[in-house]
Amino acid sequence: MTLRPHEQELINQVQTGLGIGGTWQPSSTGATFDVQDPATGEVIKTIADATVDDALRALEAAVTAQEAWAETSTRGRSNILRRAFDLLMDRHEDFALLISIEMGKPISEARAEVTYGGEFLRWFSEEAVRVRGDYRPTPEGAGNIVVSHLPVGPTYFITPWNFPLAMATRKIAPALAAGCTVVIKPAELTPLTTIFLVQLLEEAGLPAGVVNVVPTTSPADQSSALLKDARLKKLSFTGSTPVGVKLLEAAAQNVLRTSMELGGNAPFIVFEDADLDRAVEGVLLAKFRNIGQACTAANRIIVHESIADTFAQRVSDRVAQMKIGRGAEESTDIGALVDSRAVAKAERLVADAVATGATVLTGGKSIEGPGSYFEPTVLDRLSPNSALMSEEIFGPVLGIIRFTNEEEAVKIANDTDYGLVSYVFTENVHCGQRMIEKLQTGMMGLNTGLISNAAAPFGGVKQSGIGREGGFEGISEFLSTKYTLIPR
């Protein structure tokens, strides 16, 4: 299926070059790569493929722009971010359609991502003018302490393919608010949305060189070169833990400031006193949002044995009714996975679960034909030894394991190296409070399957990351603290 005329018209508006220093230019070698629609496998755009030299030129542009941008008044930065938010809302449907075409998610979820991504622009337009310092006397009265917060400097962002707008705005907005310039490398599977966003920032009045975008099919080479450059002051990465560990090792050589939002293995605990209607809706949202391709996706569904049969049947009945199709179609519930590798992983995990004793209640297979589709799947009676219990699924596969008491539920939930988010459904306020204290995650949803909010600090513990994005805490990741003593 080829793109419809209005879809092609939108794709044509996206630049094909690298955004460096306020101009759109080809790769230094003329290299290009294709971007595909995962729903059909067809090429939708061919864009410039950045080299290491291109990335270093982008960093040079960011370094050149840094001083002037840092000296721009906080109100000036705020106004640009607010204009960007307004422009994004004006083009809400265009961005949603672009996300759906290049990433595969249902258009309704793409619209939600635009709303969510836009909130980072609005939130940090407001936070830009609220960066505070401090002035206080020394305890012995010999002088005064002045604490200032200053921009860290040029930053390098590596963003994932699953939320191509929101993951870009979640990093770019606080950086700009703090007075930092940016080089951003979007995922090669979904670079078009980020390019389109940078075009919008230019339209909002962002000065040349403040944000530079360099898509590449050689991310390791590009990142290695940038992280070795002493002019770079900050790295922010969203992606897998193994890649994050390698980046941290490289960043250590120059003692870079780092923010890492890494893998997840989210437990979803349903206690015997849970509101089942609410729990079913919550797990459908937490598991199948973005076709299961989210670091916050519920990965291990841990249900009390007294209600597990009823819960599993109700969830399975709902999942069996989900409509599979191209994300841009209004009726689609489950779109295409991002590529064939994601389908192969889902197949492998389901096969392993069945081999270790699980029962398939619905779904369980890939779909033949064009595009990378996998049936939304519910598995019951997972074994603790199943790969689903230890690997991040990143697909529309829901597996249920049973527990007998609270202690066992907590043990299962915490039995992982990851600690991004957890979900708990209980009507007992005391049980909920205990879960806040006992579950080893950086975030928790209590009786809700959706926790992301621009006003909240997003991030994990253990091998799920370092630092926080969003909320009051988000801008601090891009500020250094300076102390000055003024003697009396």
Side-chain angles (χ1 to χ4, degrees), residues 24-194:
W24 295 94
Q25 51 196 268
S27 164
S28 55
T29 63
T32 61
F33 69 94
D34 295 333
V35 180
Q36 296 180 335
D37 178 351
T40 63
E42 295 179 356
V43 174
I44 55 175
K45 191 94 173 175
T46 299
I47 65 171
D49 190 352
T51 66
V52 167
D53 287 342
D54 295 324
L56 291 173
R57 287 192 297 110
L59 178 58
E60 175 65 32
V63 170
T64 300
Q66 177 59 51
E67 183 176 357
W69 182 243
E71 291 177 351
T72 299
S73 69
T74 55
R75 179 60 67 194
R77 295 181 220 146
S78 171
N79 288 342
I80 289 174
L81 285 168
R82 179 63 199 213
R83 282 197 295 272
F85 167 77
D86 291 337
L87 287 170
L88 182 62
M89 293 303 100
D90 289 343
R91 304 204 65 181
H92 196 286
E93 194 64 19
D94 284 345
F95 272 88
L97 182 58
L98 181 58
I99 291 168
S100 184
I101 292 171
E102 75 165 340
M103 187 259 147
K105 72 178 66 181
I107 187 66
S108 60
E109 295 188 20
R111 291 183 182 119
E113 180 181 345
V114 177
T115 298
Y116 175 51
E119 283 304 309
F120 290 105
L121 297 172
R122 176 155 64 173
W123 175 265
F124 286 107
S125 75
E126 297 162 346
E127 287 301 289
V129 297
R130 295 185 173 89
V131 175
R132 300 176 181 176
D134 194 18
Y135 180 92
R136 57 183 182 266
T138 61
E140 67 278 5
N144 291 303
I145 295 169
V146 177
V147 179
S148 307
H149 299 290
L150 305 172
V152 168
T155 61
Y156 178 43
F157 297 154
I158 304 172
T159 53
W161 50 262
N162 57 339
F163 289 89
L165 177 70
M167 297 303 95
T169 58
R170 196 161 79 182
K171 296 180 189 300
I172 289 173
L176 297 186
C180 299
T181 57
V182 172
V183 175
I184 184 167
K185 187 210 77 64
E188 65 184 272
L189 291 172
T190 58
L192 304 184
T193 302
T194 304

Side-chain angles (χ1 to χ4, degrees), residues 433-450:
Q433 183 63 45
R434 289 194 298 272
M435 293 305 101
I436 292 172
E437 297 169 356
K438 291 182 178 181
L439 295 182
Q440 298 167 359
T441 58
M443 302 176 288
M444 188 177 114
L446 183 56
N447 292 320
T448 180
L450 180 64

Side-chain angles (χ1 to χ4, degrees), residues 224-463:
S224 177
L226 290 178
L227 295 178
K228 288 177 182 176
D229 196 310
R231 297 174 299 174
L232 185 70
K233 302 302 179 186
K234 163 85 180 179
L235 166 67
S236 180
F237 169 72
T238 297
S240 73
T241 296
V243 174
V245 169
K246 292 179 181 178
L247 289 169
L248 282 169
E249 290 173 348
Q253 303 309 307
N254 281 332
V255 197
L256 283 182
R257 285 277 293 271
T258 58
S259 299
M260 295 278 156
E261 195 265 280
L262 305 177
N265 190 3
F268 187 105
I269 305 175
V270 185
F271 285 96
E272 64 269 36
D273 64 349
D275 180 328
L276 272 187
D277 290 337
R278 202 170 184 180
V280 169
E281 294 300 327
V283 80
L284 293 174
L285 181 58
K287 174 71 265 182
F288 294 103
R289 175 181 176 233
N290 211 40
I291 327 168
Q293 299 171 124
C295 57
T296 55
N299 212 64
R300 296 166 295 147
I301 316 306
I302 307 164
V303 185
H304 192 271
E305 60 184 5
S306 66
I307 60 169
D309 286 342
T310 301
F311 179 83
Q313 190 60 56
R314 290 182 61 175
V315 170
S316 179
D317 289 345
R318 290 285 299 278
V319 171
Q321 297 171 13
M322 291 180 173
K323 182 173 180 181
I324 305 167
R326 185 169 181 258
E329 303 299 328
E330 293 286 350
S331 59
T332 293
D333 297 312
I334 297 292
L337 294 179
V338 73
D339 61 14
S340 59
R341 292 172 297 180
V343 174
K345 181 178 182 180
E347 289 178 324
R348 174 177 61 80
L349 290 172
V350 170
D352 174 82
V354 171
T356 53
T359 301
V360 178
L361 298 185
T362 189
K365 303 185 298 297
S366 60
I367 299 174
E368 295 184 3
S372 45
Y373 292 94
F374 193 87
E375 294 176 339
T377 299
V378 178
L379 303 167
D380 194 14
R381 297 184 181 277
L382 280 183
S383 164
N385 299 320
S386 167
L388 279 171
M389 294 296 292
S390 58
E391 291 188 41
E392 189 172 20
I393 301 168
F394 246 64
V397 179
L398 183 156
I400 298 170
I401 189 169
R402 297 158 187 243
F403 73 93
T404 58
N405 55 55
E406 181 179 312
E407 182 181 4
E408 182 185 6
V410 171
K411 182 179 179 181
I412 295 171
N414 288 340
D415 186 21
T416 174
D417 291 333
Y418 299 100
L420 186 61
V421 61
S422 54
Y423 303 93
V424 173
F425 279 74
T426 177
E427 293 297 288
N428 185 320
V429 66
H430 301 296
C431 176
Q433 183 63 45
R434 289 194 298 272
M435 293 305 101
I436 292 172
E437 297 169 356
K438 291 182 178 181
L439 295 182
Q440 298 167 359
T441 58
M443 302 176 288
M444 188 177 114
L446 183 56
N447 292 320
T448 180
L450 180 64
I451 53 89
S452 298
N453 191 293
F458 189 104
V461 297
K462 299 197 283 189
Q463 291 194 30

